[in-house]
Amino acid sequence: MRRKDLLDIETLEPSEIEYLLDNATSFREILARPVKKVPTLRGKSVATIFFEASTRTRTSFEHAAKIMSADTYSLAGATSSIVKGESLKDTMLTLDAMGIDAFVIRHAYSGAAAQAASYVPHKPVINAGDGTHEHPTQGLLDMLTIRQAKGRIEGLTVTIVGDIAHSRVARSNIWGLSKMGASVRIVGPSTLIPADADKLPVSVYTNLEEALEGADVVNVLRIQLERMTVGYFPSIREYARLFGVSKARLAVAKPDVTVLHPGPMNRGVEIASELADDPEISVITDQVTNGVAIRMATLFWLMGAST
Amino acid sequence: MAGYEIDKMNPAAEVMDADEMRRAWTRVAHEILERNKGIEDLALIGILRKGGPLTERLVAGIERIEGAKVPFGVLDISLYRDDFRTYQPKVGTTQIPFDIEGRKIVLVDDVLFTGRTVRAALGALNDLGRPSLIQLAVLVDRGHRELPMRPDYVGKNLPTSRTEFVRVSLSEFDGADHVEIYKEG
């Protein structure tokens, strides 16, 4: 099946997820080479348009595009005509007219990437995070990391801890992992459990110990202080005491439990430093490496066909 | 890659059986040793997918003759193809557990046709280092080159028409060894 865009994981087929994970596995070999360059996308251009702050996602996309010999242009909210009030539509139409071949977009509004995709009907748009909706390449890189650590996804119990309601990472994980046969638990303060949780393929917990019991994988989310406009929990210290994940807390999980965190980390809040830095349990640096491989696989997939 | 076309084609005619393949490939192993005067600095690299098992067979053949194993690896070329925009390949993993710099490399593939796969393979190898020389061994040369490529070692020269399809079956993938030719249906 041919797709123009990657906007979410919710509408991906399991076979498409598997295809992306398999190709990304092969791309890891290129990342390990002394000369990291293949000619696949030579003469193609990719624009990364970020209306929200990002270090790893933007760098990861640009690195992936450059390894595949594409040219990259980065537009950030603060330094582009976006501050002059240029709309998303005009930004897209302008870049399209310049001959940019593919677009990577991050925006604070859910659905912005789909909207952007509608302005360029013949060119790929990749969602790099839209509001609280989805962050599909993060979901894919988490799945790749889990598959590498565990050898499979099917049959695993994965617990996602933290601010589920504001997390596009959580949504992409929930859809992807459940499609690939894992059973997904979410846990956090009841104010941070999404109102539509009953419509998601998850079991909902509000007690961390219960949610961690027998878990194969724990994905610890960042507490997004920038989205906390109202008080969702009384204090950071209370959050850390009730929902901060540490080695001691993981005693009830499987003995070979694997811990992920999408970064950036609030050390000592949602995750203990000793846990984040333990290479036996934490696969956080693998996630970063896999992020580049997944973005290469995504660009390869969407920019492959002549349209 | 063009496997889906086979269903539309007429039944195959077998042009090599397992014994013929084995003899031809044993001869190629001898020729590689003769041309390179032994195994010093020699390494074999198979083009994925069918070049992989064919390479392992040459390595075993050379070991039987010389009593020593030559280093070998496999090369994925899907990121170097010039026709990548027309189909969606599953990318394989290049695994070459030695430095190709300064070595004599024998590239191995099943069928030599237009030469475009070999061009892609040379580009892929070039990104990994600079061998002292590169030679090409193929099980079948079916002609119809579109690029200036010439094999150094050939299991069988097979005159074909451009519309025919040559399929090499290997026991490692297909359960049995043989080479078949399909006419356009």
Side-chain angles (χ1 to χ4, degrees), chain A residues 288-307:
Chain A
V288 178
T289 309
N290 285 334
V292 180
I294 279 290
R295 280 145 194 151
M296 288 172 74
T298 304
L299 293 168
F300 182 68
W301 186 42
L302 297 177
M303 297 180 78
S306 45
T307 43

Side-chain angles (χ1 to χ4, degrees), chain A residues 2 19 22-23 26 37 40 304, chain B residues 79 85 88-91 93:
Chain A
R2 185 86 259 162
Y19 171 78
D22 288 349
N23 273 359
S26 293
K37 202 77 164 179
T40 318
Chain B
L79 301 174
R85 281 169 223 296
Q88 202 79 83
K90 187 138 179 173
V91 182
T93 305

Side-chain angles (χ1 to χ4, degrees), chain A residues 15 101 109 112 117 133 221 265 285:
Chain A
S15 62
D101 296 297
Y109 291 164
H133 173 228
L221 301 176
M265 282 185 274
T285 52

Side-chain angles (χ1 to χ4, degrees), chain A residues 17 56 58 60 71 89 103 141 150 167-168 189 215 217 262:
Chain A
I17 295 173
R56 71 206 71 220
R58 180 206 281 271
S60 176
D71 296 304
K89 179 176 181 175
F103 305 88
L141 77 86
K150 299 295 184 195
S167 176
R168 52 199 178 206
V217 177

Side-chain angles (χ1 to χ4, degrees), chain A residues 42-60:
Chain A
R42 199 163 60 91
K44 297 279 170 183
S45 51
V46 179
T48 58
I49 308 166
F50 277 59
F51 294 87
E52 274 190 336
S54 163
T55 305
R56 71 206 71 220
T57 303
R58 180 206 281 271
T59 312
S60 176

Side-chain angles (χ1 to χ4, degrees), chain B residues 16-30 32 44 46 49-65 68-70 72-74 108 110 139 168-179:
Chain B
M16 277 180 110
D17 63 21
D19 284 334
E20 287 171 299
M21 279 171 66
R22 180 176 48 77
R23 289 187 200 112
W25 218 223
T26 304
R27 170 176 54 75
V28 166
H30 279 281
I32 290 171
L44 271 51
R49 213 165 62 101
K50 299 231 167 116
L54 287 172
T55 300
E56 288 179 37
R57 293 177 188 191
L58 280 179
V59 171
I62 289 169
E63 190 177 10
R64 275 194 297 275
I65 302 160
K69 238 182 164 129
V70 293
F72 67 100
V74 290
V108 181
D110 57 344
L139 183 63
V168 173
S169 298
L170 298 176
S171 56
E172 289 89 338
F173 296 137
D174 313 294
D177 278 359
H178 53 100
V179 180

Side-chain angles (χ1 to χ4, degrees), chain A residues 120-164:
Chain A
V120 285
H122 304 294
K123 291 178 176 176
V125 170
I126 299 167
N127 180 7
D130 61 331
T132 59
H133 173 228
E134 280 220 40
H135 187 356
T137 56
Q138 179 74 43
L140 289 165
L141 77 86
D142 287 346
M143 284 192 271
L144 179 61
T145 308
I146 291 169
R147 197 175 77 167
Q148 268 167 9
K150 299 295 184 195
R152 68 196 162 99
I153 294 173
E154 195 174 359
L156 296 178
T157 297
V158 182
T159 303
I160 305 174
V161 186
D163 178 4
I164 314 291

